[in-house]
């Protein structure tokens, strides 16, 4: 992707994200139709669908050769990330959107031939936009985020994580996760993986750990956090599969190794 095209796509995407956020804010108190997907806690609303359709229409109308992976299913069925692919979560943190009317985000990662080129995480209700272009730094609104160079040991780390591991997840034993939670300084659950990545990039937390996320949960945040030195992999250290659900470990290089090693040793 050449520089001119990258800038054009970034400019259009930024405008569309801000327009979508303004639309959500204007309708935040309107009645919602709420449905469930994979389980009773996997919520989807009319606003999720409306927002994804907005992006699909803008992208396909402007870049008909681009592909889309979207949480609500209005994108394309892909078997690879060839070409330019937009990975979209119209509302990441739908449960927060429904119950709190805050603490949710629009998340977009734009990949080209499998490489994350552009990332957006928009904290809609606070009107805070985290954004990045590959090799050009990450920003919170107009403020450039500093690289996460500070060495942090696991015992003094604040780690963002959800608590699905309590449900006897087979990827990592519950006992290992219990030891991990006791070992770190503290854990935080925000209910939005996109915001977790944004806070990690900002330095509010030191790491992020999840035992099951879809590509749209992490695509935008990965690009942003990667620009400040965050490494994102599966819990076994292998690269994420951006077409399927994955476990996720994200932090700077030094802490990332500590988290991976702790989980490996805990399995024994």
């Amino acid at each position: 992707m050449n520089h001119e095209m990258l800038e054009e796509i970034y400019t259009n995407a930024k405008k569309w994200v801000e327009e979508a956020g303004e639309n959500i804010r204007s309708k935040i108190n309107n009645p919602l139709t709420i449905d469930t997907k994979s389980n009773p806690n996997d919520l989807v609303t009319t606003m999720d669908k409306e927002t994804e359709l907005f992006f699909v229409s803008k992208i396909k109308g402007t870049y008909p050769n681009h592909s889309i992976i979207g949480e609500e299913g209005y994108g394309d069925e892909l078997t690879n990330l060839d070409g330019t692919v937009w990975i979209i979560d119209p509302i990441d943190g739908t449960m927060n959107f429904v119950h709190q009317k805050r603490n949710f985000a629009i998340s977009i990662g734009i990949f080209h031939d499998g490489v994350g080129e552009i990332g957006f995480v928009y904290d809609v209700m606070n009107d805070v936009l985290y954004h990045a272009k590959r090799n050009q730094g990450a920003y919170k609104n107009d403020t450039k985020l500093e690289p996460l160079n500070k060495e942090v040991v696991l015992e003094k780390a604040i780690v963002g994580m959800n608590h699905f591991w309590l449900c006897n997840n087979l990827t990592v034993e519950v006992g290992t996760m219990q030891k991990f939670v006791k070992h770190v300084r503290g854990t935080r659950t925000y209910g939005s993986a996109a915001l977790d990545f944004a806070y990690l990039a900002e330095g509010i937390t030191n790491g992020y750990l999840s035992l099951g996320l879809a590509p749209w949960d992490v695509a935008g945040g990965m690009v942003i956090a990667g620009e400040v030195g965050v490494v994102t992999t599966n819990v076994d250290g292998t690269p994420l599969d951006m077409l399927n659900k994955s476990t996720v470990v994200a932090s700077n290089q030094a802490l990332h190794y500590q988290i991976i090693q702790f989980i490996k040793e805990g399995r024994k």
Side-chain angles (χ1 to χ4, degrees):
M1 185 185 294
N2 63 45
H3 177 75
E4 290 75 16
M5 180 56 71
L6 182 73
E7 289 298 321
E8 178 193 309
I9 293 171
Y10 169 83
T11 299
N12 282 330
K14 183 174 183 288
K15 179 175 67 175
W16 298 337
V17 166
E18 290 171 341
E19 287 177 10
E22 185 176 350
N23 182 61
I24 292 171
R25 284 193 300 272
S26 73
K27 298 178 179 178
I28 193 68
N29 293 313
N30 289 3
L32 285 172
T33 300
I34 304 168
D35 297 314
T36 60
K37 293 186 288 186
S38 61
N39 63 68
N41 295 323
D42 187 6
L43 306 181
V44 59
T45 72
T46 46
M47 186 55 69
D48 292 83
K49 296 175 182 178
E50 178 183 326
T51 303
E52 184 162 306
L53 281 170
F54 167 80
F55 284 118
V56 170
S57 127
K58 291 291 187 182
I59 295 162
K60 291 296 188 182
T62 310
Y63 306 109
N65 295 325
H66 289 192
S67 300
I68 300 169
I69 298 173
E71 179 174 15
E72 308 313 333
Y74 297 113
D76 304 297
E77 292 289 335
L78 301 182
T79 57
N80 59 61
L81 292 179
D82 293 348
T84 302
V85 181
W86 299 57
I87 305 178
I88 299 170
D89 194 335
I91 298 179
D92 185 66
T94 300
M95 192 177 294
N96 290 349
F97 171 71
V98 170
H99 289 277
Q100 302 174 1
K101 298 183 179 180
R102 67 188 72 185
N103 300 322
F104 61 89
I106 296 171
S107 175
I108 295 182
I110 304 173
F111 285 63
H112 185 72
D113 290 338
V115 177
E117 295 284 352
I118 296 170
F120 292 99
V121 170
Y122 188 29
D123 182 346
V124 173
M125 299 311 292
N126 288 318
D127 191 21
V128 174
L129 180 64
Y130 299 85
H131 52 106
K133 288 173 277 190
R134 185 168 66 92
N135 296 329
Q136 297 185 44
Y139 292 80
K140 177 184 179 182
N141 290 334
D142 297 326
T143 302
K144 190 171 186 179
L145 299 178
E146 296 296 324
L148 301 179
N149 295 326
K150 185 180 178 182
E151 292 293 322
V152 179
V153 294
L154 197 55
E155 295 90 336
K156 295 183 179 179
I158 302 292
V159 180
M161 59 189 300
N162 59 44
H163 296 127
F164 289 121
W165 55 269
L166 287 168
C167 302
N168 198 26
N169 186 290
L170 298 179
T171 306
V172 181
E173 292 181 357
V174 171
T176 297
M177 294 309 302
Q178 288 174 335
K179 285 186 275 186
F180 180 84
V181 170
K182 291 177 182 178
H183 189 75
V184 299
R185 173 163 283 174
T187 62
R188 297 292 180 269
T189 302
Y190 295 106
S192 163
L195 289 178
D196 271 303
F197 268 91
Y199 298 155
L200 175 57
E202 193 176 352
I204 291 173
T205 57
N206 306 114
Y208 179 61
L209 174 61
S210 177
L211 299 183
L213 291 175
W216 47 78
D217 294 317
V218 302
M222 274 179 61
V223 176
I224 296 165
E227 286 298 299
V228 295
V230 169
V231 178
T232 304
T233 69
N234 278 287
V235 295
D236 61 3
T238 58
L240 296 191
D241 178 355
M242 296 307 293
L243 292 172
N244 295 291
K245 202 169 187 179
S246 304
T247 58
V248 173
V249 173
S251 64
N252 70 11
Q253 186 72 60
L255 190 61
H256 186 271
Y257 176 79
Q258 294 176 57
I259 295 172
I260 297 287
Q261 286 303 115
F262 189 99
I263 292 173
K264 282 182 179 178
E265 292 168 5
R267 284 175 170 174
K268 295 176 182 177

